[in-house]
Amino acid sequence: MEGFAVELDGVSKSYSNFEAVRDIKLKIRRGEFFSILGPSGSGKTTILRLIAGLLYPDKGSIRLMGEDVTFVPAYKRNVGMVFQDLALFPHLNVFENVAYGLKVRKTPEEEIKRKVKECLEIVNLDPEKFGKRKINQLSGGQQQRVAIARALAIEPSVLLLDEPLGSLDLKLRQHMMSELKRIQKTVKTTLVYVTHDQSEALIMSDRIAVINQGSLEQIGTPAEIYENPATKFVAEFIGEMNFIPAEVYNGGLISEIGYIKVSNLNGAKRVLVAIRPEKIKIGCRNLDNVYNAVVEEVAYVGGFLSVKARINDFCLKCLTSSDLRVEENQKVELGWRADDAIIFEA
Ligand code: ATP
């Protein structure tokens, strides 16, 4: 269906006199896997609670499926929510947990049975085997599935997930990531996913909103955010980045490592040249910028070498194929294409 599932227009929210969220404008498309990514305390949960109706904004408006819900209470919004601690009912079994929202909505018994079965199957839990189990008789990953099934049971127009994988170990987290993506494709619900983990957001999302100190820094696809970070914060928060302070000189830049050729300067006098470790080529001369460097550190990271190299007194992180022979204290030439650097005002 065309249109937006969630629209926030100029939304701000303060706790006492601390502004946790400031002038947020975002539009989440129907059926989209949309992540809200930012460091701890940046306001992600506050945004999610505003969408859910568990908080009301001080300024701005919120629309769900095209309807203004700014001051509509949570129980009248058709949203499902999965919290970090899951908030499952320990005294109820799996079936009763998933049926909960339907009971509250006074859904007929037969339909509840059918719906619960369907939702447990969507999350890959056998209703026969797990239906009567108590929550404490389930593994962490199974509890996660119950929480998602419970949120799906009410057929929400938007499913909100607040760091739902935080408590799982790495392997299970990776498995649940692909499961979540599969589930979202099956039910075609709009999914808003809050996380501080950039790799989760990059892997799963159609688009990501990066939040810093209550403000929106950038909205884009994972590739856009990684390749073209709009701010220094986004460049630093997503992936690894080298930052070289430089000053404009003769249409190029002078810095501690020497002259740097760049493809576009935005008029600033002092800048930061940002270059990803994988864009720096070692032992390659046919580049716009080439420097003599000394290798300081080499670490093997599964198929790649993470290399720290020093140009004068300035250290750069490089990522290169492990086929390359480099050793500590080796003199190398390294460089990059002018187009591969991103320039920020210092
Ligand atoms: P985390 O990743 O740690 O969960 P977050 O990005 O979700 O963080 P929020 O929970 O939205 O951040 O909090 C944003 C800011 O608002 C934080 O500085 C937090 O301390 C503050 N805050 C949150 N809830 C309250 C509250 N009820 N009263 C006062 N301050 C609050």
Side-chain angles (χ1 to χ4, degrees):
M1 211 194 310
E2 287 295 305
F4 296 104
V6 182
E7 292 163 85
L8 267 60
D9 190 10
V11 167
S12 299
K13 176 70 191 173
S14 295
Y15 299 109
S16 310
N17 48 20
F18 172 72
E19 200 173 35
V21 160
R22 191 173 321 114
D23 195 23
I24 299 288
K25 292 188 182 81
L26 54 86
K27 291 181 176 187
I28 302 174
R29 298 182 189 122
R30 297 186 190 195
E32 192 167 34
F33 196 125
F34 191 92
S35 289
I36 299 175
L37 173 67
S40 179
S42 55
K44 308 180 295 291
T45 299
T46 304
I47 295 173
L48 212 62
R49 294 173 73 85
L50 286 161
I51 298 173
L54 298 167
L55 286 174
Y56 296 140
D58 302 325
K59 280 189 214 145
S61 65
I62 301 175
R63 297 169 82 84
L64 286 180
M65 307 305 271
E67 253 178 60
D68 191 315
V69 295
T70 311
F71 298 106
V72 173
Y75 71 92
K76 288 194 179 159
R77 300 185 190 190
N78 191 26
V79 296
M81 192 144 176
V82 179
F83 299 91
Q84 183 165 17
D85 63 2
L86 304 185
L88 292 166
F89 307 118
H91 58 287
L92 301 181
N93 65 26
V94 168
F95 180 94
E96 291 160 343
N97 262 281
V98 179
Y100 183 81
L102 299 168
K103 284 219 163 111
V104 171
R105 285 169 167 75
K106 305 216 168 2
T107 311
E109 275 305 311
E110 275 314 301
E111 202 182 326
I112 291 182
K113 272 191 198 151
R114 189 183 57 76
K115 267 263 143 70
V116 172
K117 184 168 175 283
E118 185 184 307
C119 291
L120 285 174
E121 278 165 356
I122 289 172
V123 298
N124 266 347
L125 278 181
D126 180 353
E128 297 298 316
K129 191 167 160 198
F130 289 99
K132 292 208 169 62
R133 288 235 197 135
K134 282 274 156 58
I135 298 304
N136 62 9
Q137 294 168 327
L138 300 174
S139 72
Q142 288 162 345
Q143 290 185 19
Q144 215 83 50
R145 290 169 196 271
V146 176
I148 296 166
R150 183 178 66 177
L152 288 177
I154 59 164
E155 290 184 21
S157 40
V158 182
L159 181 59
L160 308 175
L161 295 110
D162 193 356
E163 308 233 13
L165 310 184
S167 60
L168 305 180
D169 65 44
L170 182 65
K171 267 260 164 320
L172 192 50
R173 207 158 67 224
Q174 285 170 339
H175 179 64
M176 282 308 291
M177 274 193 242
S178 57
E179 272 296 275
L180 260 179
K181 199 73 199 149
R182 179 192 62 78
I183 292 165
Q184 191 241 358
K185 277 192 183 141
T186 311
V187 295
K188 299 188 177 75
T189 307
T190 308
L191 206 141
V192 186
Y193 187 90
V194 157
T195 182
H196 66 270
D197 184 321
Q198 44 144 330
S199 59
E200 278 183 15
L202 290 173
I203 288 171
M204 291 192 288
S205 318
D206 295 315
R207 286 190 307 150
I208 301 171
V210 184
I211 308 287
N212 178 31
Q213 296 185 358
S215 296
L216 193 61
E217 295 266 334
Q218 187 172 5
I219 299 182
T221 63
E224 280 165 358
I225 281 184
Y226 187 85
E227 303 282 341
N228 292 308
T231 63
K232 180 175 175 270
F233 174 83
V234 177
E236 206 165 19
F237 190 64
I238 315 277
E240 294 248 36
M241 190 70 99
N242 294 290
F243 289 103
I244 310 165
E247 279 184 37
V248 177
Y249 179 77
N250 244 355
L253 296 168
I254 42 170
S255 74
E256 222 179 301
I257 65 167
Y259 190 79
I260 304 176
K261 265 189 226 159
V262 287
S263 53
N264 55 344
L265 276 174
N266 52 13
K269 278 225 150 66
R270 287 167 183 276
V271 297
L272 281 175
V273 178
I275 179 96
R276 296 269 185 214
E278 69 272 19
K279 299 285 189 194
I280 301 179
K281 311 283 179 238
I282 297 177
C284 187
R285 284 190 175 173
N286 189 17
L287 295 161
D288 303 314
N289 294 292
V290 180
Y291 306 91
N292 292 316
V294 178
V295 174
E296 290 238 310
E297 232 178 81
V298 183
Y300 179 78
V301 278
F304 294 95
L305 293 181
S306 170
V307 177
K308 257 191 204 159
R310 191 166 42 77
I311 306 170
N312 302 327
D313 278 331
F314 200 88
C315 247
L316 288 175
K317 283 175 281 183
C318 322
L319 193 70
T320 182
S321 157
S322 60
D323 298 339
L324 200 74
R325 291 269 155 260
V326 272
E327 294 171 353
E328 280 170 26
N329 298 321
Q330 187 181 332
K331 288 186 176 160
V332 291
E333 282 183 324
L334 58 75
W336 59 87
R337 297 186 322 127
D339 277 352
D340 284 338
I342 304 160
I343 309 297
F344 295 107
E345 215 166 303

